[in-house]
Amino acid sequence: MLSTFFYPCYIVAAFIVVLLTIPQRDLKHYFIYGFLFGGLGDIVVVGLFQNILHIIWFKNAGVYNALGENLLSPLSWILTVMIFLRFLPLRKVFQYAYLIGFAAFSVGYGYLVHNAGLFDFQSWYYPFFSYMTFLFWWSTITWAFIKTSPLIKNPA
């Protein structure tokens, strides 16, 4: 039962946070980054780490299963990236702390999904190597956002 409702509950909660914290005029802009770096990023990372390297894998996805991946995972990542970028600090020193913290949060979320019975991984991958993967992923998202987004210069 928990595995069936885990992702839908997370998506609803994250969607509420997005609606409450991101101004309506900026939703489209944040969504583009969420889609590119969250949704498509998840598909690429899962494709690499699950289908090619066999380090991680989804399980017990039930009706949300497609090609071995949970269909709701990319949507979760879209919303998570939108929230991440909305609260990205402007000062570099705080950005580094934010990245370190969000990578740790991501590892914790991976354990949560694992404990819900939806996700598994090679024992050597968590927590250190997964942390490095998430740190790289969040750093790439931050770098791209800072280099290309007008929102980072004129936050709402």
Side-chain angles (χ1 to χ4, degrees):
M1 184 66 109
L2 173 66
S3 62
T4 303
F5 293 112
F6 183 85
Y7 274 107
C9 289
Y10 179 82
I11 289 168
V12 168
F15 187 68
I16 290 169
V17 170
V18 163
L19 290 179
L20 291 175
T21 60
I22 298 178
Q24 188 174 5
R25 69 180 183 277
D26 297 337
L27 274 173
K28 183 172 127 182
H29 192 81
Y30 283 106
F31 178 77
I32 291 169
Y33 284 93
F35 181 79
L36 291 175
F37 292 102
L40 291 180
D42 178 58
I43 292 168
V44 168
V45 168
V46 168
L48 175 65
F49 283 69
Q50 175 177 274
N51 301 333
I52 296 172
L53 300 175
H54 306 290
I55 296 171
I56 65 168
W57 54 94
F58 285 93
K59 59 184 191 173
N60 302 323
V63 297
Y64 307 119
N65 183 29
L67 302 174
E69 183 172 351
N70 191 315
L71 283 175
L72 298 180
S73 180
L75 181 55
S76 298
W77 272 100
I78 289 170
L79 296 168
T80 303
V81 168
M82 290 173 70
I83 294 166
F84 171 82
L85 293 174
R86 174 66 178 130
F87 293 105
L88 183 68
L90 294 175
R91 293 183 57 194
K92 282 272 190 225
V93 67
F94 295 123
Q95 286 176 1
Y96 291 125
Y98 190 67
L99 286 169
I100 289 167
F102 231 89
F105 164 78
S106 299
V107 171
Y109 184 78
Y111 276 124
L112 187 64
V113 177
H114 170 74
N115 291 341
L118 295 170
F119 174 72
D120 213 350
F121 46 82
Q122 297 290 342
S123 59
W124 57 265
Y125 184 64
Y126 266 75
F128 179 75
F129 292 107
S130 66
Y131 180 82
M132 299 310 290
T133 302
F134 286 122
L135 187 62
F136 176 76
W137 193 350
W138 290 119
S139 297
T140 302
I141 293 167
T142 301
W143 177 83
F145 187 71
I146 289 171
K147 293 296 183 189
T148 62
S149 175
L151 294 178
I152 196 72
K153 295 164 187 66
N154 300 315

